[in-house]
Amino acid sequence: MNLDRRGLLGLLGAGATSACASAPATAPRPIAFRHGVASGDPDQTSAVFWTRVTPLDGAAGDIAVTLEVARDMAFQTVVIRSAGLAARSERDFTVKHDLNGRGLEPGQEYVYRFTAEGVTSPVGRVRTLPAGPTADVVLAVASCQLHPGGLFNAYEAMAGLERLDAVVHLGDYIYEYGADPDAYGMVTGAPLNRVPEPAHEIVSLADYRTRHAQYKADPDLQAAHARAAFICVWDDHEVANDSWRAGAANHQPETEGDFAQRKAAALRAYYEWMPIREPRAGALKAAVNRVFHFGDLATLIMVETRLLARTKPLSYADLSAGADGQPDIAAFRARLDDPSRELLGEDQRQWLGRELASSKAAGRAWQVLGNQVVTARVRGPDVERMMPADQIAGLLVTLPENVRAQVQASIQLFRLGLPFNLDSWDGYPAARERLYDIFREAGAEPIVLAGDSHAFWVNELHDAGGERRAVEFGVTAISSPSPGDFIRGLPLGQALVLANPEEVRLCDQTAKGFLLLTLTPTSARADLMAVSTILAKPFQVRTSVSAHLSRTPAGTKLQLLKS
């Protein structure tokens, strides 16, 4: 694969308007475009365009900005010129311009740039969504980019793709952790000099803004944003680990204040720094669920599973002992199966049902769900049945002490048939059945996309009655560590396939990369794109597995082709 960034980050032209001849000459304010450009949320005739202007003089005054959208890289045919924009200190000097459904033509690629104070930004590319008959759609899917975890090589590979209509980002765009030697990811971050900014765990608005700025300064991430529009939704780390509607596992009110204030600061910074449409008037800030139609071929529905309705996740620390001193599995499962436990909430679920039914009624071949966490039923593997006791002991000895304790506890819990990850849909089984009911009522068998897990997945999703309701493609991390990274002596992905043959067709718990989804009227192909390393350059990228879905009158068939 050609990894050339195709000159997307080069500066093209001066583009600034000249002052009136009768006006006194004034020196331009010193500025720079240090964080690249981005576009997002495309529709048939518009998109959202973003940049950040860095004032080099440290002053707080507004900076006038112009956006140009053109048909050619030389900007000889400019179709949009918006000169009334401003980078304001109250929005951290970010600029976001929404064309609001006007100005562009369907299914066309455009280039764009910003100018301010005589300085021209890098150039970006954006493709509007098609209208009418559509032969194919190509989407990259990404998730989980821990800056200290490693280099963003997957984004360099993504930026070099010949064909890319949009990037679907399923969350964990930033992480909240600090730079202590034992902080998450610092075992790689320190030697790579990828140290979090600020150095402490982020809590305030200024903290979140600084962390977003650090991520957007990464050249590989800038290249991917310049290559295609992003369609994003957050997961938990944009606020704090394992967040839910009223708290997070990584939030301590006694030292970090009110969670609602932290969440408000995190979402404000997110809307400032991401090329995403602002919430509708009167809508909750957390209502980031929205829909995108790709001609007559596909509908992409982005849902929100964190901050709108999610009830507090259970953890295995909640597993109490029964009268016999053994873990009370029945009581724990009763709590897990409580019908009141929610992920989407009733309002969002009904909205999802309407969008699915509308897409089916319009004759679109594919309904794609952009969802943050793994949906499949995944029991933890019974390691004691897979390996002899002395081999398990030898494996445990090789692990760091803190990881060893977690693995030992997991081995005992998974022997009892408990779920692998309670933060996924497995922690909300009644809510998952309600989701499947929505699929059934709409007459849809969607493709479900999942992030969060730092692993590649190909899953067939069945309801409690055993009926297949969807196929799930899970994307691994761009750079965040995977469970399999710590226990190389155990093929964890294969163990999960063996433990869940009815649901899990493939699981890779060590690869890093992205997913490339290609849709046609009769087929869907998910190419699992793995990079050879996240610790150095150069690197290679390869298709580790291709999952093919074919639609025939007899039904939908799933086939795996390994490289």
Side-chain angles (χ1 to χ4, degrees):
M1 178 178 293
N2 179 12
L3 300 180
D4 178 15
R5 298 183 195 177
R6 305 172 64 84
L8 290 179
L9 296 181
L11 298 178
L12 296 181
T17 57
S18 60
C20 177
S22 61
T26 58
R29 184 175 176 184
I31 65 100
F33 292 97
R34 290 179 172 173
H35 301 94
V37 297
S39 64
D41 284 9
D43 57 30
Q44 282 71 28
T45 56
S46 70
V48 173
F49 296 90
W50 178 95
T51 193
R52 202 265 182 158
V53 180
T54 300
L56 302 181
D57 58 5
D62 293 353
I63 300 170
V65 179
T66 296
L67 165 69
E68 291 180 310
V69 183
R71 295 185 181 275
D72 60 295
M73 289 293 286
F75 284 80
Q76 292 181 342
T77 307
V78 174
V79 297
I80 297 289
R81 190 173 187 279
S82 299
L85 310 181
R88 295 187 169 91
S89 59
E90 65 190 40
R91 287 187 63 92
D92 203 19
F93 293 101
T94 60
V95 180
K96 187 159 60 172
H97 186 52
D98 186 352
L99 295 185
N100 285 316
R102 56 183 174 79
L104 306 180
E105 296 180 3
Q108 299 297 311
E109 185 165 283
Y110 296 89
V111 294
Y112 63 94
R113 66 187 181 188
F114 295 86
T115 58
E117 302 291 346
V119 179
T120 304
S121 75
V123 175
R125 295 160 67 182
V126 61
R127 180 181 289 273
T128 52
L129 303 190
T134 302
D136 57 6
V137 169
V138 179
L139 303 172
V141 185
S143 180
C144 304
Q145 53 201 53
L146 179 67
H147 190 269
L151 304 177
F152 291 170
N153 287 342
Y155 279 131
E156 181 180 341
M158 200 182 294
L161 293 171
E162 287 296 323
R163 170 75 184 276
L164 182 59
D165 296 333
V167 177
V168 179
H169 199 290
L170 299 175
D172 292 345
Y173 187 95
I174 65 167
Y175 281 74
E176 79 276 21
Y177 301 110
D180 291 341
D182 60 348
Y184 190 55
M186 283 306 293
V187 66
T188 51
L192 289 174
N193 196 30
R194 292 173 71 88
V195 178
E197 298 173 3
H200 56 266
E201 182 179 324
I202 55 176
V203 176
S204 69
L205 175 59
D207 291 343
Y208 283 101
R209 284 171 165 174
T210 300
R211 189 63 56 85
H212 273 282
Q214 181 182 33
Y215 276 64
K216 281 289 200 307
D218 183 274
D220 295 325
L221 181 54
Q222 285 189 21
H225 273 296
R227 175 63 184 86
F230 273 50
I231 298 172
C232 300
V233 68
W234 53 67
D235 192 27
D236 53 339
H237 289 287
E238 285 86 349
V239 181
N241 181 49
D242 288 355
S243 54
W244 52 290
R245 68 172 183 247
N250 195 29
H251 179 77
Q252 294 75 42
E254 60 277 5
T255 58
E256 295 171 334
D258 179 56
F259 179 74
Q261 293 182 4
R262 182 179 187 176
K263 179 171 72 173
L267 295 192
R268 177 173 173 177
Y270 186 90
Y271 279 112
E272 289 172 349
W273 277 86
M274 296 295 290
I276 186 173
R277 283 196 167 85
E278 297 290 309
R280 302 179 303 276
L284 296 173
K285 286 280 190 183
V288 74
N289 51 302
R290 58 213 195 278
V291 64
F292 302 86
H293 300 300
F294 293 81
D296 65 350
L297 180 59
T299 297
L300 171 64
I301 305 172
M302 304 293 285
V303 297
E304 202 287 337
T305 65
R306 280 291 173 188
L307 303 177
L308 273 177
R310 179 186 281 248
T311 49
K312 186 176 182 180
L314 292 177
S315 76
Y316 286 121
D318 300 315
L319 183 59
S320 58
D324 59 358
Q326 298 300 309
D328 193 339
I329 302 300
F332 185 78
R333 286 198 177 278
R335 293 184 63 187
L336 199 62
D337 293 335
D338 184 345
S340 69
R341 294 178 55 72
E342 268 291 5
L343 274 188
L344 294 179
E346 183 64 20
D347 289 346
Q348 187 178 190
R349 190 163 47 250
Q350 293 304 318
W351 167 83
L352 171 60
R354 291 192 298 271
E355 294 295 348
L356 288 170
S358 174
S359 179
K360 290 290 292 183
R364 296 187 179 95
W366 301 101
Q367 292 74 46
V368 182
L369 200 65
N371 147 81
Q372 291 94 322
V373 295
V374 171
T375 315
R377 285 178 291 132
V378 183
R379 293 181 297 273
D382 188 349
V383 177
E384 292 180 342
R385 295 183 61 182
M386 295 174 54
M387 303 170 64
D390 59 342
Q391 190 173 347
I392 294 174
L395 169 66
L396 293 172
V397 168
T398 66
L399 302 178
E401 186 174 348
N402 59 330
V403 175
R404 185 186 314 145
Q406 295 178 42
V407 172
Q408 283 178 311
S410 296
I411 288 173
Q412 297 304 312
L413 290 170
F414 296 156
R415 182 170 55 86
L416 304 173
L418 291 170
F420 181 64
N421 180 8
L422 294 176
D423 189 53
S424 69
W425 281 90
D426 257 337
Y428 304 81
R432 179 169 54 199
E433 291 303 309
R434 291 192 289 270
L435 176 70
Y436 292 162
D437 287 344
I438 290 291
F439 294 172
R440 175 181 52 79
E441 291 165 4
E445 188 178 307
I447 294 171
V448 177
L449 303 177
D452 181 70
S453 70
H454 309 176
F456 279 130
W457 301 82
V458 178
N459 302 322
E460 296 190 79
L461 306 182
H462 300 84
D463 63 19
E467 292 294 322
R468 192 173 84 173
R469 294 299 176 197
V471 170
E472 180 171 51
F473 299 137
V475 64
T476 192
I478 295 289
S479 60
S480 303
S482 305
D485 294 339
F486 300 104
I487 46 175
R488 293 285 182 173
L490 171 67
L492 181 58
Q494 185 60 29
L496 289 168
V497 173
L498 294 174
N500 300 277
E502 70 284 0
E503 291 268 304
V504 182
R505 295 285 303 276
L506 177 141
C507 181
D508 185 337
Q509 286 279 335
T510 58
K512 302 293 183 291
F514 64 99
L515 187 151
L516 196 62
L517 180 65
T518 303
L519 305 175
T520 74
T522 60
S523 68
R525 187 180 79 245
D527 295 319
L528 311 185
M529 309 298 293
V531 297
S532 58
T533 182
I534 58 172
L535 301 178
K537 291 181 184 292
F539 65 95
Q540 291 78 46
V541 60
R542 66 183 181 91
T543 303
S544 62
V545 173
S546 289
H548 290 250
L549 269 177
S550 55
R551 285 265 170 93
T552 68
T556 303
K557 180 181 179 181
L558 175 64
Q559 183 181 15
L560 298 183
L561 300 176
K562 296 187 178 182
S563 61

